Amino acid sequence: MIYALRALMAEHNLDAYLIPSADEHLNEYLPKARQRRQWVSGFTGSVGDFLVGRSSTWLFVDSRYYEQAEREVDSSLIQISKVGLEENKTLEETLEDLGREAIQNGTTFRLGYDPFTISVSQFQEFQKRLEPSAVVLVPVAENLVDVVLSRSTEPSLPYADSNLIYLPDAVTGEGISQKLGRVREAMQKAPADILLITKLDQIAWLFNLRGQDIPYNPVFIAYAIVTSDKTFLFTNQHRIEPQLRQLLEKHTLLLPYEQYAETLKSLLAPSSRVLLDPKHTTMGTYQILSDTSNQGNCQILLRANPIEGMKARKNAVELAQMQQANLKASRAKTRTLKWISDRQACINEIDELKVAKTVEGFYAEEADFFGLSFNTIAGSGTNSSIVHYGTPNPEARLQPGIFLLLDSGAQFTGGTTDDTRTIIIGDPTQSQIERYTEVLKAHITLAMQPFPKGTTGAQLDGIARSNLWHTGLDYGHGTGHGVGAFLNVHEGPNGISKHFSVPLEPGMVTSIEPGYYEPGWGGIRIENLYVVKDLSPENGSKWLGFESLTYIPFDKRLIDIHRLSTQQRNWLDQYNLAVVEKLTPTLDSTEATWLRDACRFL
């Protein structure tokens, strides 16, 4: 495969070719037809860039994927760069070095890329960093991986062929016409004449539609354009049933997916002001706008898409749906924990895959189950330190003295879930208790933290890590991510990490998931979903806080109560009471008895 790519690179006079994780819509999870980097490199992580040079290849991964990359990639053929570790270079640093070598040889370094796999903002960063090093960015119209695949014996894969599902206002809380009205108001304030929408969860939200084109994310492959008086939805037409077509045609023109570029060009005029989100739109779309063959140069407004914030601030109906969905998921995860507890006498007969299938089976017993929200992580022992360990192993059996990290989530009609519990098999060691307790304290500290309006995720991230830092512990991933309402499990614009400068607002849903991971020892992560609530006192000042959507017991065998402050202990007591109150009415008598004991401290 790599040799075939190098042959194509030579035809285009390229020194290297970049294969990012993303596709035309910058998806995190990809349809099989767009899993190009995985097909070439063997690496299955959701994030990571692959660079093919004339004689060398590189895979760039962050701390979430250090161990996973080592397991999946042939290091004799591919250099693994663990970004963040000393002497491990970033993609940009590697390209700068290659560019400087080219300068010494009196040439330039030509980097090929598919403009429909790189965002505008990423391209701008590349330009700023790489042009001084004589790296020339060369757009290649046809993706070279696709060319190699088309010449191979691999069968063609279906793309964008799932039926569309319409969600009524009783599920979404707002109709299409109302949403379009709010979007056009935002366009007037910009001011913009044309809004381009290429991010799939934004399109699904705007049209109250869902699909199954992308694993785990209930979205569908499409583009959309909104003008002051027209709306266009571009997707495969054969999957729109007649009744749904009649409903949608009241709000939008329905056109084939392939007519996106042609239609966009037809809408442009020298006076057009086009709003384009640089983080969520590819250079492929940007080049359509900036193409000098268009009739005049339109004005491109590089700004955040207003839909992103609207979608993140859930209305009352959406929050009610999220509450119900997360209660269902909490019940399924709790029943799974009891199932494991009941099998302590024969625990070594249970393996990671059996655990994953068990929790998925309990999800499926709940009403309105649609599917998983991501690939279940069931990591035992040393596998628990692999942050995104998504391949439960039927050979990895549970053994006394090890951790089991179970991170899973489900999609229900109306709501998306994501939660993690780490439990001990058998009796814990003192070090396991101490580190688990510190992670739990980090979780509780942030969960009970009130904060003033305007507080960003970057500010909250440090609060969560504070006690861990005091004990010399930390984790390489963010503390939290936004979650959609029956949409993507990872949703912007809000998040809790040093990279998020967006203030949290009422109605936003976020995870809180601190952890600790040590290769060869194991890993711990404790995750709930929370909704941001208004806590403003009567004096008029604006304060916000978190209300839990997740109600699952923690493993009390791993908690050293004496290491918790009075406030943290009170929070834990109240949380345990809420778990019992919300779940026991829906459990059978043996499950309810087990749950009450799991939530009881002496």
Side-chain angles (χ1 to χ4, degrees):
M1 175 64 179
I2 291 175
Y3 296 112
L5 276 172
R6 285 180 175 142
L8 287 173
M9 287 163 51
E11 292 179 17
H12 289 273
N13 190 26
L14 300 175
D15 297 295
Y17 187 69
L18 178 62
I19 307 172
S21 300
D23 64 355
E24 297 90 328
H25 302 279
L26 303 176
N27 290 306
E28 176 185 11
Y29 296 101
L30 301 171
K32 287 187 177 180
R34 294 296 185 267
Q35 292 175 0
R36 298 161 175 139
R37 189 219 56 219
Q38 177 178 334
W39 194 70
V40 179
S41 69
F43 175 62
T44 63
S46 58
V47 179
D49 294 319
F50 192 62
L51 180 67
V52 180
R54 289 185 174 181
S55 59
S56 300
T57 55
W58 299 263
L59 175 67
F60 302 88
V61 296
D62 63 36
S63 62
R64 294 171 293 176
Y65 303 101
Y66 290 168
E67 289 188 74
Q68 183 176 340
E70 286 181 347
R71 294 189 181 196
E72 295 181 343
V73 170
D74 185 345
S75 58
S76 66
L77 299 176
I78 299 169
Q79 298 180 47
I80 302 172
S81 185
K82 299 177 181 179
V83 177
L85 294 184
E86 291 185 14
E87 300 181 1
N88 283 257
K89 295 181 178 179
T90 65
L91 169 62
E92 291 83 357
E93 289 169 342
T94 301
L95 289 169
E96 285 174 331
D97 287 347
L98 294 170
R100 282 189 283 267
E101 290 178 15
I103 290 175
Q104 292 175 357
N105 296 326
T107 62
T108 58
F109 188 89
R110 289 171 55 83
L111 173 64
Y113 72 98
D114 178 350
F116 279 97
T117 63
I118 294 179
S119 71
V120 174
S121 59
Q122 184 180 11
F123 178 84
Q124 291 173 332
E125 285 298 314
F126 278 166
Q127 275 190 319
K128 186 189 305 182
R129 286 283 302 270
L130 301 179
E131 283 188 353
S133 302
V135 176
V136 179
L137 300 170
V138 183
V140 181
E142 192 169 15
N143 190 287
L144 297 189
V145 178
D146 292 350
V147 174
V148 173
L149 280 169
S150 69
R151 297 175 182 177
S152 72
T153 57
E154 293 282 336
S156 59
L157 296 168
Y159 185 62
D161 62 347
S162 69
N163 284 342
L164 300 188
I165 302 165
Y166 176 71
L167 299 182
D169 295 3
V171 174
T172 64
E174 188 176 18
I176 301 173
S177 60
Q178 288 83 5
K179 290 182 176 181
L180 283 170
R182 285 207 285 149
V183 168
R184 289 193 168 105
E185 286 179 10
M187 289 170 61
Q188 289 176 353
K189 292 177 181 178
D193 309 304
I194 300 172
L195 173 65
L196 305 182
I197 315 171
T198 65
K199 198 165 180 284
L200 300 187
D201 60 337
Q202 293 177 356
I203 294 171
W205 177 87
L206 179 62
F207 293 99
N208 288 343
L209 295 173
R210 300 295 187 267
Q212 292 179 286
D213 292 344
I214 308 292
Y216 311 117
N217 296 337
V219 296
F220 57 99
I221 304 296
Y223 287 106
I225 301 174
V226 178
T227 72
S228 57
D229 59 353
K230 292 182 180 179
T231 307
F232 303 83
L233 177 60
F234 305 87
T235 193
N236 285 359
Q237 299 294 292
H238 70 268
R239 55 167 164 192
I240 307 176
E241 297 179 349
Q243 186 175 358
L244 178 57
R245 175 179 294 276
Q246 186 176 10
L247 185 153
L248 292 174
E249 285 178 340
K250 297 176 182 178
H251 308 282
T252 183
L253 294 171
L254 298 172
L255 296 172
Y257 182 78
E258 295 76 17
Q259 290 186 18
Y260 167 66
E262 175 188 342
T263 303
L264 175 55
K265 290 178 182 179
S266 72
L267 295 172
L268 300 178
S271 60
S272 298
R273 294 166 299 188
V274 183
L275 196 158
L276 179 151
D277 189 330
K279 291 184 178 180
H280 298 137
T281 311
T282 66
M283 277 302 297
T285 286
Y286 184 89
Q287 288 174 358
I288 296 172
L289 299 177
S290 58
D291 189 345
T292 55
S293 65
N294 291 332
Q295 297 184 6
N297 292 322
C298 62
Q299 181 182 355
I300 303 175
L301 307 176
L302 295 179
R303 301 180 186 177
N305 190 315
I307 293 175
E308 191 74 349
M310 295 178 187
K311 174 170 56 64
R313 296 185 292 271
K314 279 67 173 177
N315 60 42
V317 172
E318 289 173 316
L319 288 177
Q321 298 285 334
M322 289 290 282
Q323 289 169 339
Q324 290 301 311
N326 280 273
L327 276 177
K328 294 173 185 177
S330 296
R331 181 165 50 241
K333 181 68 70 67
T334 298
R335 295 176 71 192
T336 303
L337 297 179
K338 179 185 181 298
W339 177 85
I340 296 171
S341 176
D342 288 346
R343 284 154 180 80
Q344 291 294 318
C346 54
I347 197 69
N348 60 0
E349 296 178 11
I350 300 176
D351 58 67
E352 292 175 346
L353 184 59
K354 191 173 292 185
V355 171
K357 288 186 176 297
T358 297
V359 72
E360 292 165 23
F362 284 132
Y363 286 143
E365 291 180 15
E366 298 289 340
D368 299 320
F369 174 71
F370 189 80
L372 297 179
S373 58
F374 57 94
N375 196 26
T376 298
I377 297 170
S380 65
T382 57
N383 290 338
S384 61
S385 67
I386 303 174
V387 179
H388 280 186
Y389 177 74
T391 53
N393 184 356
E395 302 300 320
R397 298 182 182 277
L398 304 190
Q399 300 291 335
I402 67 171
F403 284 128
L404 172 67
L405 190 156
L406 183 55
D407 185 350
S408 61
Q411 298 282 4
F412 297 97
T413 303
T416 302
T417 82
D418 180 7
D419 51 69
T420 307
R421 287 297 181 267
T422 304
I423 64 171
I424 189 69
I425 305 302
D427 297 323
T429 65
Q430 188 59 35
S431 67
Q432 288 172 327
I433 292 173
E434 289 174 357
R435 293 174 188 181
Y436 180 94
T437 301
E438 291 303 322
V439 174
L440 179 62
K441 285 167 60 179
H443 184 107
I444 294 173
T445 296
L446 185 53
M448 67 182 188
Q449 178 67 58
F451 50 93
K453 179 183 179 181
T455 299
T456 67
Q459 293 170 295
L460 295 174
D461 183 72
I463 293 173
R465 296 176 193 266
S466 177
N467 71 273
L468 287 167
W469 288 346
H470 278 297
T471 55
L473 307 179
D474 198 10
Y475 47 97
H477 55 75
T479 299
H481 57 82
V483 179
F486 190 29
L487 275 171
N488 294 359
V489 73
H490 295 151
E491 173 182 81
N494 57 295
I496 304 175
S497 85
K498 61 184 179 182
H499 303 295
F500 282 91
S501 58
V502 175
L504 274 74
E505 300 180 30
M508 289 181 170
V509 173
T510 182
S511 68
I512 294 179
E513 49 181 303
Y516 173 73
Y517 313 90
E518 184 178 320
W521 182 82
I524 302 162
R525 184 162 63 252
I526 300 172
E527 176 186 18
N528 283 2
L529 295 191
Y530 294 87
V531 59
V532 179
K533 300 287 286 186
D534 190 337
L535 303 179
S536 299
E538 295 181 358
N539 63 10
S541 58
K542 191 75 170 180
W543 286 83
L544 306 176
F546 296 114
E547 179 181 298
S548 187
L549 296 173
T550 304
Y551 293 95
I552 303 168
F554 304 109
D555 191 339
K556 68 179 183 180
R557 297 168 298 169
L558 287 164
I559 302 173
D560 182 349
I561 287 295
H562 303 293
R563 299 174 76 95
L564 272 60
S565 69
T566 300
Q567 278 186 307
Q568 291 166 343
R569 173 67 189 267
N570 289 339
W571 185 95
L572 182 58
D573 287 341
Q574 291 301 313
Y575 182 81
N576 283 338
L577 287 172
V579 170
V580 171
E581 178 184 339
K582 290 179 179 294
L583 292 188
T584 50
T586 62
L587 300 174
D588 65 31
S589 59
T590 58
E591 291 170 335
T593 299
W594 179 87
L595 178 61
R596 282 190 289 267
D597 180 68
C599 292
R600 183 183 297 115
F601 280 101
L602 298 178

